[in-house]
Amino acid sequence: MNMPVRTENRFLAGMIAATESLQKMELQMEPSQRQSGLNGNEPGCDLIGQILQTRSLVIVSNRGPVTFSKDENGGLQSKRGKGGLVTALTGLANLTDAHWIASAQTEQDREWSHGQVPLNGSEKTIDVQFVSPEAASYEGYYNGIANSLLWFLQHSMMDISHTPTINRTTWQDWKDGYVAVNRLFAEAIARQVRVSQKPPLVMLQDYHLYLVPSFLRELLTSRTKYTLMHFIHIPWPGAEDWGLLPARMRLAILEGLCAVDLLGFQTREDGFNFMRTCESYLPRAYVKFKHGRIWYRNHMTYVKDFPISIDVPAIQQLAESPEVDEIRHGFEESYEGRLLIVRIDRIEPSKNIVRGFQAFDELLELHPEHRGKVQFLALLVPSRMEVDKYQAYAEEVMGAAGKINVKYSQSDWEPIRILVGEDYPRAVAAMQRYDVLLVNSLADGMNLVAKEGPVVNRRNGVLILSERTGARQQLEPGALLIPPLDVYATAEALHQALTMPMPERQEHAERLRHLVEQEDIVDWLCKQLETIAEMNL
Ligand code: GDG
């Protein structure tokens, strides 16, 4: 069985990015500087070295930092995971013994199963281990429950008059897929915790692994020393949304998460919603909202927001590379004399791509002076194409753009240009060239594009940001906020951005750059470790 390599490797990318940054930092700094962290004034970073001297790391995510495939000669070739999260966590791995548990994505991952993977630019290695569920079990866990049910519920995208219908197949996906794969992960973690020389920090990632913590508590005795962290990358909606999930599933998820020591969310709102959900649906949970604490079954879970970010130096370095330079020159030539609106997303209903095009249509109606003068460039990465809804959505996106192009095209101007495919250097080149970056997600845990754009853009471009992205919490002072359902407001925001005087654009752009640089991916990790130390977890 050969599972397709999927494109949505966003948090892995982040982890790797942050780990590599830390790694670089460690290599470049004198020992006396190491304790002071990134720039010497981030208290969280003071503690990284200290904490990791006494702890080992067990990182757990659905996708790992590496996948294996066959090369042309039938040999084994490895491909490293991309993005900030993988980088971030790989960096940490350089500072202590690290073990990464993930699910096998290919037949070669299954065969390879467990071994050492070298870290970039260092003699150290990271111990990577794959769990290998049966294909049907993985399908039920990944597509059946995580992507079709939890993703839609947590992005408030359930169209309950029609979908989802929870039927026998869903329950089978739950029992033989989600529960079974979470148990497999827990068993692998438990084995690792038992043989660990130092008490491990177990860092679980995301919505695929909600049940792991309670299984782990069952498998390990209360005398075993370890700290359990879980970071949730996607939104946590209000208690009413969770009311739609059958009680048995909801209870298992809440019990799982209340077995964690430190539970991280992207925003304060997400953490607050989680606590409200526990108060509503977890009998005998005692919630202290003000202090972010939940007591359940003699265990305290500390709930806190740790907004994820990007590896700023890494993306700036890539932006300066000859490869990106060449692509940017191409864009500059093609769009010379025109203002450029850019969006960069997975083809994903929560990214609200169709309404983005509708807003552009509205702009060209309301402000015809932009016709022929503004180009909309959409860089779209195919995602989860094995799920019917995603295929249908991709068709809808293409249809919406096609209609607008038919309506307004001129001999030398096609209003919307769509580039489909995975090409990160191309995405970075587009980020450098935009005059307006449109992020209008219906709901988004964070949205990293909103953070990447401002640190590489060369034209003091304006960020239009949905108020339902996690990025809003930090970037609001430098962005034009829009309600994502309102295409009229989005069209007006586009007009405001396209006509904004340069000094104002500059002020907004500088503010955004500063906000992102202040709190990058290393800071995200530092703050979590700082909390572990402060809370004595
Ligand atoms: C989830 C949550 C949360 C873009 N084009 C290509 C490419 N990209 C990069 C972007 C960005 C990443 O992919 C996408 O990250 P987002 O945050 O925008 O969105 P999700 O994939 O939905 O991520 C989200 C995130 O997890 C982290 O916690 O922010 O809310 O939904 O970095 O620049 N990457 C590659 N090829 C491309 O063509 N490899």
Side-chain angles (χ1 to χ4, degrees):
M1 193 228 29
N2 209 350
M3 285 183 202
V5 174
R6 294 179 176 83
T7 53
E8 60 267 33
N9 207 2
R10 66 260 182 277
F11 72 68
L12 289 189
M15 287 288 203
I16 287 183
T19 348
E20 271 170 4
S21 306
L22 283 168
Q23 205 177 309
K24 275 183 241 152
M25 202 170 91
E26 278 293 303
L27 293 174
Q28 286 158 8
M29 283 180 175
E30 294 299 319
S32 59
Q33 285 176 289
R34 278 184 203 152
Q35 293 292 308
S36 63
L38 272 182
N39 56 21
N41 56 16
E42 286 162 285
C45 292
D46 292 341
L47 294 161
I48 282 191
Q50 285 170 35
I51 292 173
L52 294 181
Q53 268 169 21
T54 54
R55 315 295 295 257
S56 63
L57 269 186
V58 180
I59 301 163
V60 192
S61 57
N62 179 53
R63 303 231 15 217
V66 70
T67 53
F68 292 92
S69 57
K70 275 205 173 112
D71 65 18
E72 297 143 3
N73 308 318
L76 202 60
Q77 67 180 5
S78 65
K79 191 173 161 208
R80 294 196 66 216
K82 285 165 289 200
L85 201 75
V86 177
T87 314
L89 289 184
T90 318
L92 273 186
N94 201 39
L95 308 181
T96 185
D97 299 330
H99 188 88
W100 196 317
I101 299 174
S103 62
Q105 300 293 310
T106 63
E107 199 49 54
Q108 289 70 36
D109 288 353
R110 287 168 174 265
E111 283 163 16
W112 183 82
S113 173
H114 186 183
Q116 299 291 323
V117 172
L119 287 173
N120 272 358
S122 151
E123 282 175 8
K124 275 209 82 161
T125 54
I126 183 164
D127 194 39
V128 176
Q129 183 193 350
F130 292 121
V131 296
S132 297
E134 291 298 318
S137 183
Y138 186 85
E139 173 65 24
Y141 145 87
Y142 186 75
N143 280 326
I145 300 297
N147 285 347
S148 295
L149 195 56
L150 295 177
W151 178 273
F152 279 82
L153 185 141
Q154 292 196 236
H155 286 83
S156 309
M157 290 194 303
M158 301 255 244
D159 170 17
I160 55 170
S161 58
H162 296 95
T163 58
T165 300
I166 293 173
N167 54 23
R168 238 183 315 137
T169 312
T170 325
W171 277 108
Q172 194 177 344
D173 287 346
W174 172 258
K175 186 168 139 291
D176 302 336
Y178 198 78
V179 175
V181 175
N182 271 257
R183 199 178 286 282
L184 265 188
F185 267 100
E187 285 163 1
I189 300 166
R191 280 194 293 277
Q192 188 54 37
V193 170
R194 284 192 202 105
V195 299
S196 183
Q197 307 283 319
K198 303 184 227 169
L201 281 179
V202 181
M203 300 179 79
L204 298 160
Q205 304 297 319
D206 231 356
Y207 61 105
H208 312 91
L209 305 174
Y210 287 157
L211 310 185
V212 168
S214 42
F215 291 152
L216 205 52
R217 299 288 186 203
E218 280 165 28
L219 291 166
L220 294 169
T221 66
S222 55
R223 284 194 309 279
T224 318
K225 276 204 159 25
Y226 61 104
T227 304
L228 209 45
M229 301 160 72
H230 200 136
F231 184 78
I232 297 173
H233 292 254
I234 64 175
W236 191 278
E240 340 38 78
D241 288 286
W242 288 95
L244 292 170
L245 208 62
R248 187 138 56 94
M249 292 184 190
R250 189 174 56 228
L251 191 65
I253 289 172
L254 296 178
E255 284 188 334
L257 292 175
C258 285
V260 165
D261 297 307
L262 177 60
L263 182 57
F265 290 95
Q266 300 275 29
T267 66
R268 283 186 294 275
E269 182 75 12
D270 293 323
F272 182 73
N273 281 343
F274 176 77
M275 292 188 278
R276 274 208 313 129
T277 313
C278 290
E279 197 173 62
S280 300
Y281 295 116
L282 194 59
R284 291 185 294 282
Y286 174 62
V287 183
K288 263 204 142 172
F289 286 92
K290 201 168 151 212
H291 298 102
R293 285 168 207 203
I294 302 176
W295 279 265
Y296 182 66
R297 293 193 171 153
N298 280 333
H299 176 264
M300 195 272 283
T301 300
Y302 186 49
V303 179
K304 193 166 161 38
D305 57 308
F306 299 101
I308 199 164
S309 191
I310 57 166
D311 183 352
V312 173
I315 193 168
Q316 283 172 337
Q317 203 180 341
L318 177 63
E320 297 310 315
S321 69
E323 188 185 6
V324 171
D325 213 42
E326 199 185 321
I327 308 171
R328 192 189 58 254
H329 278 305
F331 284 147
E332 273 160 4
E333 255 176 58
S334 307
Y335 306 125
E336 205 190 334
R338 291 201 166 113
L339 292 174
L340 191 64
I341 301 170
V342 166
R343 72 169 310 135
I344 302 168
D345 304 278
R346 287 187 296 107
I347 305 179
E348 156 64 63
S350 64
K351 303 293 181 184
N352 205 20
I353 303 168
V354 173
R355 282 199 193 82
F357 292 155
Q358 287 168 349
F360 186 51
D361 186 356
E362 189 89 335
L363 171 83
L364 299 175
E365 281 297 325
L366 291 168
H367 303 282
E369 66 274 19
H370 293 303
R371 293 184 194 175
K373 300 210 175 95
V374 177
Q375 179 71 46
F376 195 134
L377 176 65
L379 269 52
L380 303 180
V381 182
S383 172
R384 305 181 193 171
M385 283 301 160
E386 60 281 7
V387 179
D388 290 348
K389 273 192 187 149
Y390 282 73
Q391 260 183 34
Y393 189 67
E395 282 164 26
E396 204 187 321
V397 164
M398 298 304 161
K403 256 198 219 159
I404 294 166
N405 283 342
V406 167
K407 188 166 162 193
Y408 299 103
S409 271
Q410 299 169 359
S411 57
D412 64 340
W413 176 62
E414 189 185 39
I416 301 178
R417 188 161 175 223
I418 298 185
L419 302 177
V420 177
E422 209 183 314
D423 187 342
Y424 190 56
R426 184 174 69 185
V428 173
M431 288 179 206
Q432 291 183 296
R433 172 59 182 82
Y434 70 75
D435 297 285
V436 181
L437 178 63
L438 177 61
V439 176
N440 66 324
S441 321
L442 289 172
D444 219 327
M446 178 55 59
N447 195 289
L448 295 178
V449 175
K451 293 190 166 180
E452 292 167 330
V455 299
V456 297
N457 182 260
R458 294 183 162 201
R459 295 170 65 90
N460 294 308
V462 181
L463 172 65
I464 296 183
L465 185 63
S466 158
E467 53 192 25
R468 284 175 50 87
T469 57
R472 177 220 175 135
Q473 186 173 301
Q474 290 155 297
L475 303 187
E476 184 166 356
L480 300 184
L481 287 194
I482 47 137
L485 297 181
D486 188 344
V487 293
Y488 175 58
T490 308
E492 288 301 358
L494 285 170
H495 178 66
Q496 189 189 343
L498 290 165
T499 55
M500 191 181 277
M502 193 41 90
E504 205 181 322
R505 272 174 69 151
Q506 223 161 0
E507 195 188 316
H508 274 77
E510 272 166 23
R511 202 174 294 162
L512 285 175
R513 243 191 324 271
H514 177 70
L515 288 168
V516 179
E517 283 171 1
Q518 238 184 353
E519 296 183 313
D520 72 354
I521 188 78
V522 177
D523 184 70
W524 173 75
L525 275 174
C526 288
K527 288 195 169 128
Q528 291 176 69
L529 295 180
E530 176 191 31
T531 308
I532 292 285
E534 268 175 8
M535 306 287 299
N536 219 357
L537 292 172

